[in-house]
Amino acid sequence: MKLIMKQKSPYPGGVFDTNPTARGVFAHPIPAVFCRYGTNISLQDIEIEWNGARNIHWKQALYGQYIEKLSLLQFHGAPAKEDGTAIELKDVIQLSVEQCKAQPGTHTFMSLEHVDAQSMFVVGNDFAQAEIAIHFTDGTNPEFFAAANRMPK
């Protein structure tokens, strides 16, 4: 599935409305794909393409938070802005990343915060177009299962 991001709304963006009341509105950069409070999420064969003039609020290809069991298979995406992060994940348990590909203009392919490294599976990905494949925001470099990945040069 190819997702093409175009600004179709006259509204400038920069906020999310997760609830039909005022308390559900909060400031947040706009990713192409947003996942929050989910279990057993599988994103397969997805390509993100940013098209035309980019909205200043657009940020990642994928943002996920509070997820248990996230699987990314053949996810190809770049950040909305050059030198950004393609995938930002926070508070994730059991992450599988397979056959994914960083697109040109990607600084960091995956930025991870409070992600359980012991339950990570990273296999057969092409990170060559990114400057950094995987970055843990706390500055650590924990061990996780990784095999057959093409790493940045």
mmCIF file of all heavy atoms in Angstrom, residues 7-45:
data_model
loop_
_atom_site.group_PDB
_atom_site.id
_atom_site.type_symbol
_atom_site.label_atom_id
_atom_site.label_comp_id
_atom_site.label_asym_id
_atom_site.label_seq_id
_atom_site.Cartn_x
_atom_site.Cartn_y
_atom_site.Cartn_z
ATOM 1 N N GLN A 7 -1.512 17.883 1.574
ATOM 2 C CA GLN A 7 -2.354 18.711 2.421
ATOM 3 C C GLN A 7 -3.635 19.005 1.670
ATOM 4 O O GLN A 7 -3.633 19.661 0.641
ATOM 5 C CB GLN A 7 -1.662 20.010 2.817
ATOM 6 C CG GLN A 7 -2.519 20.813 3.772
ATOM 7 C CD GLN A 7 -1.795 22.000 4.360
ATOM 8 O OE1 GLN A 7 -0.591 22.105 4.262
ATOM 9 N NE2 GLN A 7 -2.526 22.896 4.967
ATOM 10 N N LYS A 8 -4.750 18.496 2.178
ATOM 11 C CA LYS A 8 -6.036 18.700 1.523
ATOM 12 C C LYS A 8 -6.947 19.613 2.332
ATOM 13 O O LYS A 8 -7.940 20.073 1.847
ATOM 14 C CB LYS A 8 -6.730 17.360 1.302
ATOM 15 C CG LYS A 8 -6.009 16.487 0.299
ATOM 16 C CD LYS A 8 -6.797 15.259 -0.011
ATOM 17 C CE LYS A 8 -6.080 14.484 -1.094
ATOM 18 N NZ LYS A 8 -6.853 13.382 -1.609
ATOM 19 N N SER A 9 -6.607 19.830 3.565
ATOM 20 C CA SER A 9 -7.435 20.635 4.448
ATOM 21 C C SER A 9 -6.944 22.079 4.446
ATOM 22 O O SER A 9 -5.753 22.336 4.334
ATOM 23 C CB SER A 9 -7.336 20.064 5.869
ATOM 24 O OG SER A 9 -7.890 20.965 6.789
ATOM 25 N N PRO A 10 -7.849 23.027 4.621
ATOM 26 C CA PRO A 10 -7.421 24.423 4.724
ATOM 27 C C PRO A 10 -6.850 24.754 6.101
ATOM 28 O O PRO A 10 -6.303 25.824 6.308
ATOM 29 C CB PRO A 10 -8.703 25.218 4.471
ATOM 30 C CG PRO A 10 -9.806 24.320 4.942
ATOM 31 C CD PRO A 10 -9.326 22.925 4.615
ATOM 32 N N TYR A 11 -6.966 23.809 7.062
ATOM 33 C CA TYR A 11 -6.471 24.044 8.412
ATOM 34 C C TYR A 11 -4.970 23.811 8.465
ATOM 35 O O TYR A 11 -4.449 22.912 7.830
ATOM 36 C CB TYR A 11 -7.200 23.141 9.406
ATOM 37 C CG TYR A 11 -8.689 23.357 9.377
ATOM 38 C CD1 TYR A 11 -9.520 22.445 8.758
ATOM 39 C CD2 TYR A 11 -9.254 24.503 9.929
ATOM 40 C CE1 TYR A 11 -10.898 22.656 8.699
ATOM 41 C CE2 TYR A 11 -10.617 24.715 9.876
ATOM 42 C CZ TYR A 11 -11.434 23.793 9.258
ATOM 43 O OH TYR A 11 -12.779 24.011 9.201
ATOM 44 N N PRO A 12 -4.243 24.617 9.239
ATOM 45 C CA PRO A 12 -2.790 24.534 9.233
ATOM 46 C C PRO A 12 -2.217 23.270 9.866
ATOM 47 O O PRO A 12 -1.132 22.853 9.531
ATOM 48 C CB PRO A 12 -2.363 25.776 10.022
ATOM 49 C CG PRO A 12 -3.523 26.082 10.897
ATOM 50 C CD PRO A 12 -4.741 25.669 10.122
ATOM 51 N N GLY A 13 -2.902 22.667 10.805
ATOM 52 C CA GLY A 13 -2.391 21.451 11.434
ATOM 53 C C GLY A 13 -1.621 21.742 12.703
ATOM 54 O O GLY A 13 -1.622 22.855 13.225
ATOM 55 N N GLY A 14 -0.927 20.698 13.187
ATOM 56 C CA GLY A 14 -0.132 20.848 14.395
ATOM 57 C C GLY A 14 -0.858 20.443 15.659
ATOM 58 O O GLY A 14 -0.309 20.547 16.750
ATOM 59 N N VAL A 15 -2.108 19.991 15.544
ATOM 60 C CA VAL A 15 -2.847 19.491 16.702
ATOM 61 C C VAL A 15 -3.530 18.176 16.333
ATOM 62 O O VAL A 15 -3.843 17.929 15.177
ATOM 63 C CB VAL A 15 -3.910 20.492 17.224
ATOM 64 C CG1 VAL A 15 -3.270 21.760 17.740
ATOM 65 C CG2 VAL A 15 -4.931 20.798 16.168
ATOM 66 N N PHE A 16 -3.731 17.335 17.347
ATOM 67 C CA PHE A 16 -4.487 16.099 17.183
ATOM 68 C C PHE A 16 -5.787 16.243 17.952
ATOM 69 O O PHE A 16 -5.823 16.867 19.015
ATOM 70 C CB PHE A 16 -3.706 14.922 17.772
ATOM 71 C CG PHE A 16 -2.790 14.253 16.792
ATOM 72 C CD1 PHE A 16 -2.289 14.896 15.692
ATOM 73 C CD2 PHE A 16 -2.421 12.940 16.990
ATOM 74 C CE1 PHE A 16 -1.435 14.274 14.804
ATOM 75 C CE2 PHE A 16 -1.575 12.302 16.121
ATOM 76 C CZ PHE A 16 -1.076 12.968 15.024
ATOM 77 N N ASP A 17 -6.825 15.667 17.443
ATOM 78 C CA ASP A 17 -8.117 15.639 18.129
ATOM 79 C C ASP A 17 -8.512 14.173 18.265
ATOM 80 O O ASP A 17 -9.026 13.569 17.332
ATOM 81 C CB ASP A 17 -9.160 16.409 17.334
ATOM 82 C CG ASP A 17 -10.491 16.523 18.067
ATOM 83 O OD1 ASP A 17 -10.623 15.945 19.164
ATOM 84 O OD2 ASP A 17 -11.396 17.182 17.536
ATOM 85 N N THR A 18 -8.239 13.578 19.421
ATOM 86 C CA THR A 18 -8.526 12.170 19.645
ATOM 87 C C THR A 18 -9.863 11.960 20.341
ATOM 88 O O THR A 18 -10.222 10.846 20.661
ATOM 89 C CB THR A 18 -7.425 11.525 20.514
ATOM 90 O OG1 THR A 18 -7.364 12.219 21.757
ATOM 91 C CG2 THR A 18 -6.089 11.581 19.816
ATOM 92 N N ASN A 19 -10.589 13.026 20.564
ATOM 93 C CA ASN A 19 -11.814 12.960 21.321
ATOM 94 C C ASN A 19 -12.715 14.083 20.815
ATOM 95 O O ASN A 19 -12.226 15.160 20.505
ATOM 96 C CB ASN A 19 -11.447 13.174 22.801
ATOM 97 C CG ASN A 19 -12.561 12.858 23.747
ATOM 98 O OD1 ASN A 19 -13.735 13.014 23.431
ATOM 99 N ND2 ASN A 19 -12.192 12.418 24.928
ATOM 100 N N PRO A 20 -14.013 13.893 20.745
ATOM 101 C CA PRO A 20 -14.876 14.978 20.259
ATOM 102 C C PRO A 20 -15.120 16.088 21.280
ATOM 103 O O PRO A 20 -16.101 16.785 21.195
ATOM 104 C CB PRO A 20 -16.162 14.249 19.893
ATOM 105 C CG PRO A 20 -16.178 13.048 20.754
ATOM 106 C CD PRO A 20 -14.740 12.653 20.954
ATOM 107 N N THR A 21 -14.223 16.234 22.250
ATOM 108 C CA THR A 21 -14.339 17.320 23.222
ATOM 109 C C THR A 21 -13.033 18.090 23.244
ATOM 110 O O THR A 21 -12.009 17.630 22.750
ATOM 111 C CB THR A 21 -14.619 16.785 24.643
ATOM 112 O OG1 THR A 21 -13.476 16.057 25.085
ATOM 113 C CG2 THR A 21 -15.844 15.896 24.671
ATOM 114 N N ALA A 22 -13.025 19.253 23.848
ATOM 115 C CA ALA A 22 -11.833 20.099 23.895
ATOM 116 C C ALA A 22 -10.675 19.416 24.615
ATOM 117 O O ALA A 22 -9.524 19.625 24.276
ATOM 118 C CB ALA A 22 -12.161 21.426 24.583
ATOM 119 N N ARG A 23 -10.944 18.573 25.612
ATOM 120 C CA ARG A 23 -9.851 17.949 26.355
ATOM 121 C C ARG A 23 -9.088 16.920 25.526
ATOM 122 O O ARG A 23 -8.014 16.496 25.903
ATOM 123 C CB ARG A 23 -10.357 17.335 27.647
ATOM 124 C CG ARG A 23 -11.242 16.177 27.409
ATOM 125 C CD ARG A 23 -11.699 15.508 28.669
ATOM 126 N NE ARG A 23 -12.518 14.412 28.188
ATOM 127 C CZ ARG A 23 -13.577 13.952 28.739
ATOM 128 N NH1 ARG A 23 -13.970 14.450 29.866
ATOM 129 N NH2 ARG A 23 -14.256 12.978 28.214
ATOM 130 N N GLY A 24 -9.641 16.484 24.376
ATOM 131 C CA GLY A 24 -8.967 15.521 23.523
ATOM 132 C C GLY A 24 -8.035 16.164 22.513
ATOM 133 O O GLY A 24 -7.370 15.479 21.748
ATOM 134 N N VAL A 25 -7.947 17.483 22.493
ATOM 135 C CA VAL A 25 -7.106 18.197 21.532
ATOM 136 C C VAL A 25 -5.769 18.520 22.184
ATOM 137 O O VAL A 25 -5.716 19.035 23.296
ATOM 138 C CB VAL A 25 -7.794 19.499 21.065
ATOM 139 C CG1 VAL A 25 -6.899 20.278 20.123
ATOM 140 C CG2 VAL A 25 -9.122 19.184 20.400
ATOM 141 N N PHE A 26 -4.681 18.184 21.478
ATOM 142 C CA PHE A 26 -3.360 18.490 22.004
ATOM 143 C C PHE A 26 -2.402 18.762 20.854
ATOM 144 O O PHE A 26 -2.573 18.260 19.746
ATOM 145 C CB PHE A 26 -2.827 17.354 22.898
ATOM 146 C CG PHE A 26 -2.735 16.013 22.215
ATOM 147 C CD1 PHE A 26 -1.543 15.587 21.636
ATOM 148 C CD2 PHE A 26 -3.840 15.180 22.141
ATOM 149 C CE1 PHE A 26 -1.454 14.347 21.008
ATOM 150 C CE2 PHE A 26 -3.760 13.945 21.524
ATOM 151 C CZ PHE A 26 -2.562 13.527 20.956
ATOM 152 N N ALA A 27 -1.400 19.589 21.111
ATOM 153 C CA ALA A 27 -0.392 19.908 20.099
ATOM 154 C C ALA A 27 0.448 18.667 19.821
ATOM 155 O O ALA A 27 0.850 17.959 20.754
ATOM 156 C CB ALA A 27 0.485 21.052 20.573
ATOM 157 N N HIS A 28 0.688 18.378 18.556
ATOM 158 C CA HIS A 28 1.483 17.207 18.183
ATOM 159 C C HIS A 28 1.882 17.340 16.717
ATOM 160 O O HIS A 28 1.052 17.668 15.885
ATOM 161 C CB HIS A 28 0.652 15.936 18.380
ATOM 162 C CG HIS A 28 1.472 14.689 18.363
ATOM 163 N ND1 HIS A 28 1.963 14.135 17.204
ATOM 164 C CD2 HIS A 28 1.890 13.886 19.362
ATOM 165 C CE1 HIS A 28 2.639 13.040 17.499
ATOM 166 N NE2 HIS A 28 2.612 12.876 18.815
ATOM 167 N N PRO A 29 3.155 17.065 16.393
ATOM 168 C CA PRO A 29 3.534 17.028 14.978
ATOM 169 C C PRO A 29 2.724 15.942 14.267
ATOM 170 O O PRO A 29 2.290 14.972 14.886
ATOM 171 C CB PRO A 29 5.017 16.659 15.011
ATOM 172 C CG PRO A 29 5.466 16.950 16.395
ATOM 173 C CD PRO A 29 4.276 16.792 17.286
ATOM 174 N N ILE A 30 2.542 16.083 12.986
ATOM 175 C CA ILE A 30 1.685 15.179 12.222
ATOM 176 C C ILE A 30 2.525 14.132 11.481
ATOM 177 O O ILE A 30 3.259 14.468 10.547
ATOM 178 C CB ILE A 30 0.831 15.963 11.203
ATOM 179 C CG1 ILE A 30 0.085 17.123 11.881
ATOM 180 C CG2 ILE A 30 -0.128 15.029 10.469
ATOM 181 C CD1 ILE A 30 -0.892 16.737 12.948
ATOM 182 N N PRO A 31 2.415 12.848 11.893
ATOM 183 C CA PRO A 31 3.082 11.776 11.152
ATOM 184 C C PRO A 31 2.160 11.262 10.042
ATOM 185 O O PRO A 31 0.946 11.494 10.074
ATOM 186 C CB PRO A 31 3.281 10.703 12.220
ATOM 187 C CG PRO A 31 2.110 10.884 13.132
ATOM 188 C CD PRO A 31 1.818 12.366 13.137
ATOM 189 N N ALA A 32 2.703 10.542 9.083
ATOM 190 C CA ALA A 32 1.865 9.922 8.049
ATOM 191 C C ALA A 32 1.002 8.836 8.672
ATOM 192 O O ALA A 32 -0.169 8.689 8.338
ATOM 193 C CB ALA A 32 2.743 9.351 6.948
ATOM 194 N N VAL A 33 1.577 8.044 9.602
ATOM 195 C CA VAL A 33 0.844 6.980 10.300
ATOM 196 C C VAL A 33 1.001 7.211 11.797
ATOM 197 O O VAL A 33 2.115 7.386 12.287
ATOM 198 C CB VAL A 33 1.384 5.576 9.919
ATOM 199 C CG1 VAL A 33 0.659 4.492 10.686
ATOM 200 C CG2 VAL A 33 1.286 5.347 8.419
ATOM 201 N N PHE A 34 -0.114 7.201 12.527
ATOM 202 C CA PHE A 34 -0.134 7.434 13.969
ATOM 203 C C PHE A 34 -0.794 6.244 14.654
ATOM 204 O O PHE A 34 -1.918 5.868 14.307
ATOM 205 C CB PHE A 34 -0.924 8.713 14.281
ATOM 206 C CG PHE A 34 -1.054 9.032 15.741
ATOM 207 C CD1 PHE A 34 -0.028 9.679 16.412
ATOM 208 C CD2 PHE A 34 -2.213 8.719 16.451
ATOM 209 C CE1 PHE A 34 -0.148 10.001 17.767
ATOM 210 C CE2 PHE A 34 -2.346 9.036 17.798
ATOM 211 C CZ PHE A 34 -1.308 9.680 18.455
ATOM 212 N N CYS A 35 -0.088 5.621 15.598
ATOM 213 C CA CYS A 35 -0.627 4.495 16.374
ATOM 214 C C CYS A 35 -0.416 4.793 17.844
ATOM 215 O O CYS A 35 0.690 5.119 18.256
ATOM 216 C CB CYS A 35 0.111 3.203 16.042
ATOM 217 S SG CYS A 35 0.099 2.733 14.326
ATOM 218 N N ARG A 36 -1.466 4.612 18.643
ATOM 219 C CA ARG A 36 -1.364 4.868 20.074
ATOM 220 C C ARG A 36 -2.305 3.925 20.822
ATOM 221 O O ARG A 36 -3.429 3.703 20.385
ATOM 222 C CB ARG A 36 -1.751 6.315 20.353
ATOM 223 C CG ARG A 36 -1.373 6.812 21.713
ATOM 224 C CD ARG A 36 -1.754 8.269 21.799
ATOM 225 N NE ARG A 36 -0.980 8.949 22.798
ATOM 226 C CZ ARG A 36 -1.271 10.150 23.244
ATOM 227 N NH1 ARG A 36 -2.290 10.817 22.744
ATOM 228 N NH2 ARG A 36 -0.529 10.717 24.159
ATOM 229 N N TYR A 37 -1.835 3.395 21.952
ATOM 230 C CA TYR A 37 -2.628 2.490 22.788
ATOM 231 C C TYR A 37 -3.136 1.293 21.979
ATOM 232 O O TYR A 37 -4.330 1.041 21.897
ATOM 233 C CB TYR A 37 -3.816 3.206 23.437
ATOM 234 C CG TYR A 37 -3.426 4.354 24.324
ATOM 235 C CD1 TYR A 37 -3.725 5.660 23.961
ATOM 236 C CD2 TYR A 37 -2.752 4.127 25.515
ATOM 237 C CE1 TYR A 37 -3.367 6.715 24.767
ATOM 238 C CE2 TYR A 37 -2.393 5.182 26.332
ATOM 239 C CZ TYR A 37 -2.702 6.479 25.951
ATOM 240 O OH TYR A 37 -2.336 7.523 26.753
ATOM 241 N N GLY A 38 -2.222 0.550 21.387
ATOM 242 C CA GLY A 38 -2.632 -0.594 20.580
ATOM 243 C C GLY A 38 -1.938 -1.876 20.998
ATOM 244 O O GLY A 38 -0.894 -1.867 21.649
ATOM 245 N N THR A 39 -2.532 -2.983 20.606
ATOM 246 C CA THR A 39 -1.966 -4.305 20.832
ATOM 247 C C THR A 39 -2.059 -5.088 19.529
ATOM 248 O O THR A 39 -3.069 -5.006 18.820
ATOM 249 C CB THR A 39 -2.745 -5.053 21.944
ATOM 250 O OG1 THR A 39 -2.693 -4.273 23.135
ATOM 251 C CG2 THR A 39 -2.136 -6.414 22.224
ATOM 252 N N ASN A 40 -0.999 -5.841 19.221
ATOM 253 C CA ASN A 40 -0.951 -6.664 18.011
ATOM 254 C C ASN A 40 -1.151 -5.840 16.731
ATOM 255 O O ASN A 40 -1.982 -6.171 15.889
ATOM 256 C CB ASN A 40 -1.988 -7.792 18.069
ATOM 257 C CG ASN A 40 -1.689 -8.784 19.164
ATOM 258 O OD1 ASN A 40 -0.528 -9.087 19.436
ATOM 259 N ND2 ASN A 40 -2.716 -9.277 19.820
ATOM 260 N N ILE A 41 -0.371 -4.775 16.586
ATOM 261 C CA ILE A 41 -0.445 -3.938 15.386
ATOM 262 C C ILE A 41 0.571 -4.450 14.372
ATOM 263 O O ILE A 41 1.744 -4.642 14.694
ATOM 264 C CB ILE A 41 -0.175 -2.461 15.718
ATOM 265 C CG1 ILE A 41 -1.275 -1.936 16.632
ATOM 266 C CG2 ILE A 41 -0.065 -1.633 14.437
ATOM 267 C CD1 ILE A 41 -1.034 -0.542 17.143
ATOM 268 N N SER A 42 0.118 -4.666 13.149
ATOM 269 C CA SER A 42 0.988 -5.134 12.079
ATOM 270 C C SER A 42 0.840 -4.203 10.887
ATOM 271 O O SER A 42 -0.255 -4.048 10.351
ATOM 272 C CB SER A 42 0.605 -6.562 11.688
ATOM 273 O OG SER A 42 1.444 -7.020 10.651
ATOM 274 N N LEU A 43 1.944 -3.576 10.489
ATOM 275 C CA LEU A 43 1.957 -2.707 9.309
ATOM 276 C C LEU A 43 2.821 -3.402 8.265
ATOM 277 O O LEU A 43 4.025 -3.553 8.458
ATOM 278 C CB LEU A 43 2.510 -1.329 9.661
ATOM 279 C CG LEU A 43 1.717 -0.557 10.715
ATOM 280 C CD1 LEU A 43 2.444 0.724 11.099
ATOM 281 C CD2 LEU A 43 0.323 -0.242 10.220
ATOM 282 N N GLN A 44 2.200 -3.831 7.177
ATOM 283 C CA GLN A 44 2.895 -4.613 6.162
ATOM 284 C C GLN A 44 2.792 -3.959 4.795
ATOM 285 O O GLN A 44 1.729 -3.472 4.409
ATOM 286 C CB GLN A 44 2.304 -6.021 6.074
ATOM 287 C CG GLN A 44 2.428 -6.800 7.348
ATOM 288 C CD GLN A 44 1.829 -8.197 7.225
ATOM 289 O OE1 GLN A 44 1.156 -8.520 6.271
ATOM 290 N NE2 GLN A 44 2.092 -9.021 8.208
ATOM 291 N N ASP A 45 3.919 -3.990 4.071
ATOM 292 C CA ASP A 45 3.982 -3.517 2.690
ATOM 293 C C ASP A 45 3.438 -2.095 2.551
ATOM 294 O O ASP A 45 2.514 -1.832 1.786
ATOM 295 C CB ASP A 45 3.233 -4.483 1.775
ATOM 296 C CG ASP A 45 3.573 -4.241 0.311
ATOM 297 O OD1 ASP A 45 4.661 -3.707 0.019
ATOM 298 O OD2 ASP A 45 2.742 -4.566 -0.553
#
